[in-house]
DNA sequence: CGAGTGACCCTGG
DNA sequence: ACCAGGGCCACTC
């Protein structure tokens, strides 16, 4: 359980997401080099809630900017957290997604 | 060891 | 342009 693996990598990148910004599963997967494992990124988030330090999974959304993880958080907790950080969310959808979008391949480039 | 699952993405019609 | 389906990798039982 304490061993490092693909999951930890996802958690690290997710924790690097600045406040007020959001990223997509595919972006993280691509940054890790496993673009095909985009699904695994989301799967890792499922365990993120039980990992420490707590991972801001609420800052991770799908390619459309839709709060898919919201169903797992329970209620609109995810949207509340994002709005609390300055991210505008409407109808479980991130507004100006391309503006608040934080791509590790670009921000963490090099 | 084998099979199933998953908070996705891409391609085809 | 829209809707639908399949595929991919890693982890768990």
């Amino acid at each position: 359980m304490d061993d490092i693996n693909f999951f930890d990598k996802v958690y690290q990148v997710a924790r690097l997401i600045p406040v007020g910004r959001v990223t997509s599963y595919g972006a993280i997967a691509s940054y890790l080099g496993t673009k095909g494992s985009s699904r695994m990124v989301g799967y890792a988030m499922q365990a993120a809630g039980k990992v420490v330090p707590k991972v801001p999974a609420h800052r991770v959304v799908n390619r459309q900017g839709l709060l898919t993880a919201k169903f797992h958080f329970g209620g609109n907790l995810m949207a509340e957290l994002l709005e609390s950080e300055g991210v505008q969310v409407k109808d479980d959808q991130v507004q100006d997604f391309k503006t608040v979008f934080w791509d590790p391949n670009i921000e963490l480039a090099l």
Side-chain angles (χ1 to χ4, degrees), chain A residues 54-70:
Chain A
K54 197 163 69 182
V55 181
H58 60 272
R59 291 183 193 159
V60 184
V61 296
N62 66 349
R63 243 340 188 183
Q64 304 176 6
L66 184 70
L67 306 187
T68 49
K70 182 176 199 199

Side-chain angles (χ1 to χ4, degrees), chain A residues 11-109:
Chain A
Y11 303 144
Q12 297 212 13
V13 177
R15 277 179 284 156
L16 290 171
I17 301 172
V19 181
R21 299 285 186 235
V22 292
T23 188
S24 61
Y25 303 93
I28 298 172
S30 181
Y31 178 70
L32 298 177
T34 54
K35 182 184 169 197
S37 299
S38 50
R39 305 181 73 186
M40 259 288 79
V41 179
Y43 192 81
M45 290 296 157
Q46 186 187 54
K50 62 184 233 178
V51 177
V52 292
K54 197 163 69 182
V55 181
H58 60 272
R59 291 183 193 159
V60 184
V61 296
N62 66 349
R63 243 340 188 183
Q64 304 176 6
L66 184 70
L67 306 187
T68 49
K70 182 176 199 199
F71 298 96
H72 293 264
F73 272 81
N76 57 341
L77 177 62
M78 188 172 180
E80 293 287 305
L81 291 169
L82 288 171
E83 291 186 322
S84 181
E85 295 190 338
V87 179
Q88 296 181 339
V89 181
K90 178 97 184 217
D91 189 40
D92 303 344
Q93 203 169 253
V94 179
Q95 300 302 288
D96 299 313
F97 177 62
K98 61 182 181 68
T99 302
V100 298
F101 181 63
W102 182 81
D103 190 344
N105 295 289
I106 298 174
E107 304 299 328
L108 301 180

